[in-house]
Structure formats: C-alpha cells, structure tokens
Amino acid sequence: ESGKTIIVLSWMIQTIEMGLDVLFIDEESGIEAISALLLDMGADPDLVDKHIHYFPFPGIEEDGYEALLAYAHNLQPALVAFDSLTDMLAAAGLDENSGIEVTRWMLDVATALTRAPYQPSVSLVDHVPKDTENTRYSVASRAKKAKSDVLWFVSKNTDFDREHTA
C-alpha cells in the first residue's frame, strides 16, 4: 500500500496523453480496480479506451510467453507495465527464490520485450520483504535486481486515499 501501482498508472496516463499505447499486464488488481483508479486520477476515458490495453495474466506459464510477446509485438506499445512480478512468478508456477527460474522469466519475457525493435519501456512492480529493514532487494531471488536496469524503492510517508494526497 505504498503507492507503487499508482506511480505506474501515472506513467501510463502520461504515455496515453502523448497518443502512445500502453500494455498493462495485471496479476494483482483486476480491470475494474485499475479502470477506477485511472479515472480517479483524471485519465481521459476516451484515451484510456483507445490506448490502454489490459492483459490479465492468469498464471501464464512458459508455453504462453509467446502469446503474450506476440500480442505486445503486434501492438508495439511505448510502455509495458507488469503488476506485480512476485504474483506473476507464483501464478506461473515459478519459484521466486530460484535465481535460475527468475532469470529465465526475465530473459524470456521482460528482456525480450525491451529488445524488441519498437523499444518499449518495461516496468515491473514488485515487493520488498515486509519483515526486514533491508530494502535493497525485492522479495526472493536477487536475480530480479541483477536483471533490472533501474530500481526505485517506494515508501509511503503519510496515509493517502482517493480523497487525500500524501
């Protein structure tokens, strides 16, 4: 509840306001919640309908990666956002503690997208351990960090909701 998804949604709004497409791959919130948040954040409903392509990620396993990549390659979005990586790995039957499995997923999916000729930005929302002071790594395998170009740690200083900013 620190606002990680809100940050990604703000990037999505900025992208669609430039007339560019976004592919949002969701394993956490659901289309109704994401749509409501986008509208509450002031997104133009017509731009949302035209430029945001919602792809539910119902535990896509390795044999389904090609369908996801084909969808993205056909769309050629400027931004591809995954929410959340931890949930996606689990739903796909992968062990998030296995560096080999995390690395393979990152190479087969996230890196394959970033290396596409249309060069989308790829954002992976993830979680840090809740029971530790160490926020240098996301939960589970350090391969997530090793395969990422940029990492941001999001921290909530004050509570916020639909009526109050923080």
Side-chain angles (χ1 to χ4, degrees), residues 6 22 27 37 40 56 78 87 105 123-124 126 141 143 145-146 159:
I6 298 297
V22 171
E27 186 64 55
L37 285 169
D40 286 348
D87 292 346
W105 187 92
S123 174
L124 304 165
D126 203 10
S141 174
K145 180 179 180 182
D159 288 335

Side-chain angles (χ1 to χ4, degrees), residues 25-93:
I25 304 156
D26 185 23
E27 186 64 55
E28 191 164 272
S29 300
I31 193 167
E32 294 83 8
I34 294 301
S35 297
L37 285 169
L38 286 166
L39 296 177
D40 286 348
M41 293 171 69
D44 180 326
D46 293 331
L47 291 178
V48 169
D49 286 345
K50 182 176 181 181
H51 292 293
I52 294 182
H53 302 266
Y54 182 87
F55 195 100
F57 193 98
I60 295 175
E61 295 183 11
E62 190 170 351
D63 59 354
Y65 296 169
E66 288 303 316
L68 172 61
L69 294 174
Y71 185 87
H73 295 336
N74 184 54
L75 177 63
Q76 297 191 5
L79 172 62
V80 179
F82 291 85
D83 191 7
S84 83
L85 180 56
T86 297
D87 292 346
M88 289 182 192
L89 293 172

